[in-house]
């Protein structure tokens, strides 16, 4: 029987306080792929909850350059006149002010964090070449924009080969009812930008996101410039252009230079040439998993305390020949696996059902794993069924085709 639509659900094993996940048709006629038999299946999700403590992936403080925190776009045009269409650029949505209305056109609307010229926008255009991109000021605003039907998709970074995992987005995956439907990998090529006619030797300061500055440490040290943190890379380019700062450069993309009328003073200034960011494509509904091409499944789970429990949990995949892939490497019995863990001891998650009833639950650690198998394969279903024997909580974040190409 063909599945018409799918939603991700969690099965509560009341007798053992365990949870496991399956795919359940979102329509009454949908089919069910049960991982365990003779159980009552209930739909669960995680409520909207913002992190109570700041993390490294959130916006850094505004740069101390005597620049206004909020820049009027009309003033930008009058100040420099470098980009006549700057006032036509879309204003970023915020999590508290999602005032943009859905487009009446046929284009797919894709939310990303940042402003035009950001690397996230480039990833969104690579994932959906003919889409209409919608900027958001924070990651959570992008999640909410999809939930509220203001956009169709969101493309958000999850890990960087140099900077590591974007922990804020791991948290938000649990706090919202969105599903991973794809991934895209983007090669990050940092450029040094400046006002037209300025030489890089004239620069005294360089403005950019803290991670971009760290990734270009060697090149910036050779210039002997002061590094100043900004909200994001494209925002740094906008500040330099709007304020006409001839002694200040920006580390951003070549696209940002084109948008904000800046010159590219140097290209590929990152220290590591293999600088790759992985982005997730998020949607309101999951896609139907297949076996016609390689798939990846992302899950999150917690475990009972005890010796060897993590080893047992990972063994359910090894026993079935399923390869694991993630950002943080852990070595177990001479076998390298990849797993990401997030401490949650003092941060409860409110697990709710479809009637929005639930209670806060505390987990010592959350483990995020990507494994290379489709939920349509019996071995993946049996592996999750086996994992349920050790897991206190288990949720499938998405099953989606593996991305094999790199976009530059």
């Amino acid at each position: 029987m063909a599945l018409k639509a799918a939603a991700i659900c969690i099965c509560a094993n009341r007798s053992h306080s365990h949870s496991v996940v399956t795919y359940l048709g979102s329509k009454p006629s949908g089919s069910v792929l049960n991982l365990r038999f003779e159980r009552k299946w209930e739909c669960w999700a995680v409520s909207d909850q913002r992190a109570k403590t700041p993390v490294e992936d959130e916006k850094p403080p505004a740069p101390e350059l005597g620049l206004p925190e909020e820049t009027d776009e009309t003033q930008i045009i009058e100040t420099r006149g470098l980009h006549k269409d700057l006032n036509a650029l879309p204003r970023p949505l915020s999590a508290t002010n999602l005032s943009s209305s859905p487009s009446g056109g046929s284009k797919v609307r894709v939310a990303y964090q940042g402003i035009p010229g950001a690397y996230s926008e480039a990833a969104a255009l690579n994932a959906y070449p003919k889409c209409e991109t919608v900027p958001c000021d924070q990651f959570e605003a992008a999640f909410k924009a999809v939930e509220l039907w203001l956009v169709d998709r969101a493309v958000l970074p999850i890990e960087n080969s140099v900077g590591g995992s974007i922990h804020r987005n791991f948290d938000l995956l649990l706090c919202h009812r969105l599903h991973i439907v794809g991934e895209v990998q983007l090669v990050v090529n940092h450029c040094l930008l400046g006002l037209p006619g300025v030489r890089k030797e004239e620069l005294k300061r360089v403005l950019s996101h803290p991670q971009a500055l760290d990734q270009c440490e060697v090149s910036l040290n050779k210039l002997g410039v002061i590094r100043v943190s900004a909200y994001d890379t494209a925002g740094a380019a906008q500040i330099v252009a709007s304020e006409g700062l001839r002694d200040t450069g920006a580390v951003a993309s070549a696209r940002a230079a084109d948008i904000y009328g800046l010159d590219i003073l140097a290209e590929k200034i990152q220290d590591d040439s293999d600088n790759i960011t992985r982005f997730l494509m998020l949607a309101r509904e999951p896609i139907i998993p297949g076996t016609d091409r390689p798939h990846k499944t992302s899950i999150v789970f917690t475990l009972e305390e005890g010796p060897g429990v993590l080893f047992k949990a990972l063994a359910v995949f090894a026993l079935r020949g399923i390869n694991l892939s993630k950002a943080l490497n852990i070595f177990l019995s001479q076998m390298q696996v990849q797993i990401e863990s997030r401490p949650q001891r003092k941060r409860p998650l409110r697990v709710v059902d479809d009637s929005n009833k639930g209670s806060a639950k505390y987990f010592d650690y959350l483990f995020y794993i990507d494994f290379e198998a489709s939920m349509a394969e019996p071995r993946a279903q049996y592996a999750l069924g086996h994992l349920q024997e050790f897991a206190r909580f288990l949720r499938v974040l998405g099953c989606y085709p593996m991305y094999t190409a790199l976009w530059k």
Side-chain angles (χ1 to χ4, degrees):
M1 178 184 295
L3 293 177
K4 297 182 179 179
I8 292 177
C9 299
I10 296 177
C11 170
N13 182 342
R14 301 183 185 278
S15 60
H16 295 87
S17 299
H18 293 322
S19 301
V20 74
V21 182
T22 188
Y23 279 84
L24 177 65
S26 61
K27 296 183 179 181
S29 60
S31 300
V32 179
L33 299 177
N34 287 334
L35 304 183
R36 308 281 289 187
F37 299 99
E38 298 178 359
R39 295 204 176 161
K40 182 177 180 181
W41 295 88
E42 297 178 354
C43 291
W44 292 67
V46 178
S47 67
D48 184 354
Q49 174 190 347
R50 300 194 63 174
K52 294 183 175 64
T53 57
V55 295
E56 62 270 29
D57 308 302
E58 293 184 319
K59 288 183 177 180
E64 297 180 357
L65 286 175
L67 304 177
E69 293 186 1
E70 297 183 2
T71 307
D72 182 84
E73 293 184 348
T74 303
Q75 183 181 357
I76 293 175
I77 297 175
E78 295 175 354
T79 302
R80 62 184 179 90
L82 295 176
H83 196 293
K84 62 181 180 180
D85 296 326
L86 188 60
N87 198 37
L89 294 176
R91 293 179 179 271
L93 303 179
S94 68
T96 56
N97 182 23
L98 295 169
S99 57
S100 176
S101 58
S103 172
S106 58
K107 283 189 175 181
V108 175
R109 285 167 58 86
V110 181
Y112 68 94
Q113 189 275 326
I115 64 174
Y119 291 106
S120 292
E121 184 193 33
L125 291 171
N126 285 327
Y128 302 98
K130 297 181 180 181
C131 74
E132 175 187 349
T133 56
V134 179
C136 299
D137 67 344
Q138 295 180 353
F139 294 131
E140 186 165 23
F143 275 84
K144 288 185 175 181
V146 180
E147 288 181 328
L148 296 177
W149 295 77
L150 297 177
V151 298
D152 304 294
R153 299 284 190 273
V155 174
L156 298 171
I158 197 66
E159 59 184 343
N160 177 264
S161 59
V162 178
S165 299
I166 313 298
H167 293 148
R168 178 61 173 154
N169 284 337
F170 278 109
D171 293 338
L172 289 172
L173 283 172
L174 280 177
C175 295
H176 295 270
R177 292 187 175 105
L178 299 186
H179 307 278
I180 305 173
V181 296
E183 63 179 354
V184 61
Q185 297 183 21
L186 182 75
V187 177
V188 178
N189 288 323
H190 291 308
C191 299
L192 180 62
L193 312 181
L195 290 177
V198 172
R199 296 180 295 110
K200 62 181 181 180
E201 291 79 14
E202 301 177 44
L203 301 179
K204 297 180 180 179
R205 305 180 190 85
V206 170
L207 199 61
S208 194
H209 188 276
Q211 287 189 2
L213 294 174
D214 291 341
Q215 292 169 8
C216 303
E217 182 176 7
V218 174
S219 298
L220 298 180
N221 284 342
K222 289 181 180 179
L223 287 176
V225 294
I226 299 173
R227 288 172 283 181
V228 183
S229 297
Y231 289 154
D232 52 42
T233 55
Q238 185 186 56
I239 290 174
V240 171
S242 63
E243 296 299 316
L245 302 174
R246 297 189 64 82
D247 63 349
T248 303
V251 175
S253 65
R255 176 177 168 82
D258 181 61
I259 291 176
Y260 301 107
L262 299 177
D263 283 352
I264 298 177
L265 308 182
E267 293 187 72
K268 299 181 179 179
I269 64 172
Q270 63 270 15
D271 301 338
D272 191 337
S273 58
D274 295 325
N275 189 339
I276 301 171
T277 299
R278 176 180 171 232
F279 293 81
L280 297 180
M281 300 149 64
L282 305 175
R284 288 178 294 273
E285 298 290 339
I287 59 175
I288 303 299
T291 57
D292 57 326
R293 56 183 296 189
H295 275 63
K296 181 183 292 185
T297 301
S298 298
I299 64 173
V300 56
F301 61 92
T302 60
L303 298 171
E304 299 282 1
E305 294 185 3
V309 177
L310 179 58
F311 179 85
K312 294 177 182 178
L314 298 179
V316 307
F317 300 100
L319 290 172
R320 294 166 177 84
I322 298 176
N323 188 45
L324 304 180
S325 59
K326 197 62 207 74
L328 182 63
N329 294 334
I330 295 179
F331 292 87
L332 293 174
S333 299
Q334 300 180 350
M335 176 183 66
Q336 180 177 319
V337 299
Q338 297 185 333
I339 185 172
E340 176 82 12
S341 62
R342 293 284 286 145
Q344 296 285 331
R345 186 178 300 273
K346 295 182 180 180
R347 293 179 56 195
L349 296 175
R350 183 170 178 265
V351 182
V352 299
D353 57 21
D354 278 355
S355 62
N356 207 31
K357 295 180 180 180
S359 60
K361 294 184 180 295
Y362 290 84
F363 303 119
D364 291 341
Y365 279 88
L366 290 166
F367 297 94
Y368 293 82
I369 284 181
D370 296 337
F371 63 85
E372 297 175 4
S374 170
M375 283 293 294
E377 299 179 62
R379 61 172 183 159
Q381 299 179 29
Y382 290 137
L384 290 187
H386 194 177
L387 178 60
Q388 185 254 352
E389 298 177 11
F390 315 105
R392 295 170 54 198
F393 169 82
L394 173 61
R395 178 180 171 185
V396 172
L397 300 172
C399 180
Y400 47 94
M402 292 179 59
Y403 210 83
T404 56
L406 289 179
W407 293 91
K408 299 183 180 180

